[in-house]
Amino acid sequence: MYRLIARLIDLFQRIPHSALALLGRFAIGLVFWKSGQTKLDGYEVCLGTCFKANPFSLGENTFVLFENEYNVPLLPTTLAAHGASLAEFVLPILLFLGLGTRFAALGFIAMTLVIQIFVYPGAYVVHGTWAAILIMLIKYGPGKIALDHLFW
């Protein structure tokens, strides 16, 4: 039994960081991408799948959310809506490409903290999961399947 456990642990240790980082980048990137897409309005681009392609065209419901549900302090509603929507458009793309990965993840850590503290304080389990993936990306980087790896 000890040998079986030791072999399994050895097998687990052989999982390359690049595979885990790629999975983490896409998993967390899609969380924020899908959220950002609900805030946008305007034209769509279809490349296998369709998505709203103008991060500066916000839907009317976005402003209603930021005025009534999201309690983001210190920022005017319009600025918070545009800033969050732009971040949820640009930062996932950077994560998908593995470009500026650590800084994109840092931006999402900041957003996650704001969401946890001011918007949905009861959702600490979900936000903790997001933070774990993001901190892993910040600490260990995007792996070899990333533009960052090519440039550095």
PDB file of all heavy atoms in Angstrom, residues 46-62:
ATOM      1  N   CYS A  46     -17.755  37.205 -34.287  1.00  0.00           N
ATOM      2  CA  CYS A  46     -17.894  35.753 -34.187  1.00  0.00           C
ATOM      3  C   CYS A  46     -16.664  35.079 -34.787  1.00  0.00           C
ATOM      4  O   CYS A  46     -16.402  35.193 -35.984  1.00  0.00           O
ATOM      5  CB  CYS A  46     -19.159  35.291 -34.894  1.00  0.00           C
ATOM      6  SG  CYS A  46     -20.664  35.916 -34.129  1.00  0.00           S
ATOM      7  N   LEU A  47     -15.903  34.434 -33.940  1.00  0.00           N
ATOM      8  CA  LEU A  47     -14.724  33.661 -34.338  1.00  0.00           C
ATOM      9  C   LEU A  47     -14.848  32.286 -33.698  1.00  0.00           C
ATOM     10  O   LEU A  47     -14.219  31.996 -32.703  1.00  0.00           O
ATOM     11  CB  LEU A  47     -13.432  34.335 -33.858  1.00  0.00           C
ATOM     12  CG  LEU A  47     -13.185  35.773 -34.299  1.00  0.00           C
ATOM     13  CD1 LEU A  47     -12.040  36.385 -33.521  1.00  0.00           C
ATOM     14  CD2 LEU A  47     -12.891  35.802 -35.789  1.00  0.00           C
ATOM     15  N   GLY A  48     -15.695  31.462 -34.252  1.00  0.00           N
ATOM     16  CA  GLY A  48     -15.982  30.181 -33.615  1.00  0.00           C
ATOM     17  C   GLY A  48     -17.074  30.342 -32.580  1.00  0.00           C
ATOM     18  O   GLY A  48     -18.016  29.587 -32.511  1.00  0.00           O
ATOM     19  N   THR A  49     -16.953  31.350 -31.758  1.00  0.00           N
ATOM     20  CA  THR A  49     -17.976  31.734 -30.802  1.00  0.00           C
ATOM     21  C   THR A  49     -18.127  33.245 -30.889  1.00  0.00           C
ATOM     22  O   THR A  49     -17.212  33.947 -31.303  1.00  0.00           O
ATOM     23  CB  THR A  49     -17.602  31.289 -29.367  1.00  0.00           C
ATOM     24  OG1 THR A  49     -18.676  31.589 -28.494  1.00  0.00           O
ATOM     25  CG2 THR A  49     -16.340  31.975 -28.882  1.00  0.00           C
ATOM     26  N   CYS A  50     -19.276  33.738 -30.515  1.00  0.00           N
ATOM     27  CA  CYS A  50     -19.523  35.178 -30.617  1.00  0.00           C
ATOM     28  C   CYS A  50     -19.264  35.853 -29.273  1.00  0.00           C
ATOM     29  O   CYS A  50     -19.510  35.272 -28.209  1.00  0.00           O
ATOM     30  CB  CYS A  50     -20.959  35.437 -31.042  1.00  0.00           C
ATOM     31  SG  CYS A  50     -21.322  34.810 -32.697  1.00  0.00           S
ATOM     32  N   PHE A  51     -18.760  37.080 -29.343  1.00  0.00           N
ATOM     33  CA  PHE A  51     -18.535  37.865 -28.138  1.00  0.00           C
ATOM     34  C   PHE A  51     -18.690  39.339 -28.463  1.00  0.00           C
ATOM     35  O   PHE A  51     -18.546  39.745 -29.612  1.00  0.00           O
ATOM     36  CB  PHE A  51     -17.159  37.586 -27.518  1.00  0.00           C
ATOM     37  CG  PHE A  51     -16.003  37.912 -28.440  1.00  0.00           C
ATOM     38  CD1 PHE A  51     -15.397  39.157 -28.410  1.00  0.00           C
ATOM     39  CD2 PHE A  51     -15.528  36.967 -29.333  1.00  0.00           C
ATOM     40  CE1 PHE A  51     -14.333  39.455 -29.248  1.00  0.00           C
ATOM     41  CE2 PHE A  51     -14.463  37.255 -30.174  1.00  0.00           C
ATOM     42  CZ  PHE A  51     -13.871  38.504 -30.134  1.00  0.00           C
ATOM     43  N   LYS A  52     -19.022  40.095 -27.453  1.00  0.00           N
ATOM     44  CA  LYS A  52     -19.147  41.541 -27.610  1.00  0.00           C
ATOM     45  C   LYS A  52     -17.741  42.121 -27.611  1.00  0.00           C
ATOM     46  O   LYS A  52     -16.955  41.867 -26.715  1.00  0.00           O
ATOM     47  CB  LYS A  52     -20.008  42.118 -26.499  1.00  0.00           C
ATOM     48  CG  LYS A  52     -21.438  41.626 -26.604  1.00  0.00           C
ATOM     49  CD  LYS A  52     -22.290  42.097 -25.469  1.00  0.00           C
ATOM     50  CE  LYS A  52     -23.650  41.429 -25.595  1.00  0.00           C
ATOM     51  NZ  LYS A  52     -24.301  41.263 -24.326  1.00  0.00           N
ATOM     52  N   ALA A  53     -17.449  42.912 -28.648  1.00  0.00           N
ATOM     53  CA  ALA A  53     -16.067  43.296 -28.907  1.00  0.00           C
ATOM     54  C   ALA A  53     -15.729  44.743 -28.579  1.00  0.00           C
ATOM     55  O   ALA A  53     -14.611  45.161 -28.808  1.00  0.00           O
ATOM     56  CB  ALA A  53     -15.740  43.013 -30.369  1.00  0.00           C
ATOM     57  N   ASN A  54     -16.659  45.498 -28.035  1.00  0.00           N
ATOM     58  CA  ASN A  54     -16.362  46.894 -27.722  1.00  0.00           C
ATOM     59  C   ASN A  54     -16.442  47.117 -26.209  1.00  0.00           C
ATOM     60  O   ASN A  54     -17.539  47.262 -25.666  1.00  0.00           O
ATOM     61  CB  ASN A  54     -17.333  47.827 -28.443  1.00  0.00           C
ATOM     62  CG  ASN A  54     -17.000  49.286 -28.225  1.00  0.00           C
ATOM     63  OD1 ASN A  54     -16.090  49.624 -27.472  1.00  0.00           O
ATOM     64  ND2 ASN A  54     -17.739  50.163 -28.879  1.00  0.00           N
ATOM     65  N   PRO A  55     -15.303  47.145 -25.527  1.00  0.00           N
ATOM     66  CA  PRO A  55     -15.332  47.295 -24.068  1.00  0.00           C
ATOM     67  C   PRO A  55     -15.760  48.688 -23.604  1.00  0.00           C
ATOM     68  O   PRO A  55     -15.930  48.917 -22.416  1.00  0.00           O
ATOM     69  CB  PRO A  55     -13.889  47.012 -23.660  1.00  0.00           C
ATOM     70  CG  PRO A  55     -13.093  47.382 -24.859  1.00  0.00           C
ATOM     71  CD  PRO A  55     -13.955  47.054 -26.049  1.00  0.00           C
ATOM     72  N   PHE A  56     -15.966  49.611 -24.536  1.00  0.00           N
ATOM     73  CA  PHE A  56     -16.364  50.970 -24.168  1.00  0.00           C
ATOM     74  C   PHE A  56     -17.861  51.206 -24.342  1.00  0.00           C
ATOM     75  O   PHE A  56     -18.355  52.287 -24.049  1.00  0.00           O
ATOM     76  CB  PHE A  56     -15.564  51.994 -24.985  1.00  0.00           C
ATOM     77  CG  PHE A  56     -14.089  51.849 -24.786  1.00  0.00           C
ATOM     78  CD1 PHE A  56     -13.300  51.244 -25.743  1.00  0.00           C
ATOM     79  CD2 PHE A  56     -13.487  52.285 -23.606  1.00  0.00           C
ATOM     80  CE1 PHE A  56     -11.934  51.088 -25.553  1.00  0.00           C
ATOM     81  CE2 PHE A  56     -12.131  52.126 -23.400  1.00  0.00           C
ATOM     82  CZ  PHE A  56     -11.356  51.532 -24.375  1.00  0.00           C
ATOM     83  N   SER A  57     -18.581  50.195 -24.838  1.00  0.00           N
ATOM     84  CA  SER A  57     -20.021  50.308 -25.029  1.00  0.00           C
ATOM     85  C   SER A  57     -20.720  49.478 -23.954  1.00  0.00           C
ATOM     86  O   SER A  57     -20.841  48.262 -24.069  1.00  0.00           O
ATOM     87  CB  SER A  57     -20.402  49.802 -26.428  1.00  0.00           C
ATOM     88  OG  SER A  57     -21.795  49.845 -26.598  1.00  0.00           O
ATOM     89  N   LEU A  58     -21.165  50.148 -22.902  1.00  0.00           N
ATOM     90  CA  LEU A  58     -21.780  49.441 -21.785  1.00  0.00           C
ATOM     91  C   LEU A  58     -23.291  49.434 -21.910  1.00  0.00           C
ATOM     92  O   LEU A  58     -23.891  50.407 -22.356  1.00  0.00           O
ATOM     93  CB  LEU A  58     -21.400  50.105 -20.462  1.00  0.00           C
ATOM     94  CG  LEU A  58     -19.903  50.222 -20.167  1.00  0.00           C
ATOM     95  CD1 LEU A  58     -19.683  50.759 -18.768  1.00  0.00           C
ATOM     96  CD2 LEU A  58     -19.205  48.895 -20.340  1.00  0.00           C
ATOM     97  N   GLY A  59     -23.879  48.331 -21.489  1.00  0.00           N
ATOM     98  CA  GLY A  59     -25.333  48.223 -21.477  1.00  0.00           C
ATOM     99  C   GLY A  59     -25.923  49.046 -20.341  1.00  0.00           C
ATOM    100  O   GLY A  59     -25.258  49.328 -19.333  1.00  0.00           O
ATOM    101  N   GLU A  60     -27.174  49.414 -20.484  1.00  0.00           N
ATOM    102  CA  GLU A  60     -27.858  50.219 -19.463  1.00  0.00           C
ATOM    103  C   GLU A  60     -27.921  49.478 -18.124  1.00  0.00           C
ATOM    104  O   GLU A  60     -27.809  50.078 -17.060  1.00  0.00           O
ATOM    105  CB  GLU A  60     -29.267  50.580 -19.947  1.00  0.00           C
ATOM    106  CG  GLU A  60     -29.928  51.657 -19.137  1.00  0.00           C
ATOM    107  CD  GLU A  60     -29.143  52.975 -19.115  1.00  0.00           C
ATOM    108  OE1 GLU A  60     -28.573  53.354 -20.158  1.00  0.00           O
ATOM    109  OE2 GLU A  60     -29.094  53.602 -18.035  1.00  0.00           O
ATOM    110  N   ASN A  61     -28.077  48.149 -18.173  1.00  0.00           N
ATOM    111  CA  ASN A  61     -28.146  47.358 -16.939  1.00  0.00           C
ATOM    112  C   ASN A  61     -26.851  47.431 -16.143  1.00  0.00           C
ATOM    113  O   ASN A  61     -26.858  47.257 -14.924  1.00  0.00           O
ATOM    114  CB  ASN A  61     -28.469  45.896 -17.255  1.00  0.00           C
ATOM    115  CG  ASN A  61     -29.908  45.721 -17.680  1.00  0.00           C
ATOM    116  OD1 ASN A  61     -30.761  46.558 -17.398  1.00  0.00           O
ATOM    117  ND2 ASN A  61     -30.182  44.628 -18.370  1.00  0.00           N
ATOM    118  N   THR A  62     -25.743  47.666 -16.814  1.00  0.00           N
ATOM    119  CA  THR A  62     -24.454  47.771 -16.126  1.00  0.00           C
ATOM    120  C   THR A  62     -24.485  48.931 -15.139  1.00  0.00           C
ATOM    121  O   THR A  62     -24.082  48.789 -13.985  1.00  0.00           O
ATOM    122  CB  THR A  62     -23.316  47.976 -17.148  1.00  0.00           C
ATOM    123  OG1 THR A  62     -23.315  46.856 -18.029  1.00  0.00           O
ATOM    124  CG2 THR A  62     -21.970  48.079 -16.456  1.00  0.00           C
TER     125      THR A  62
END
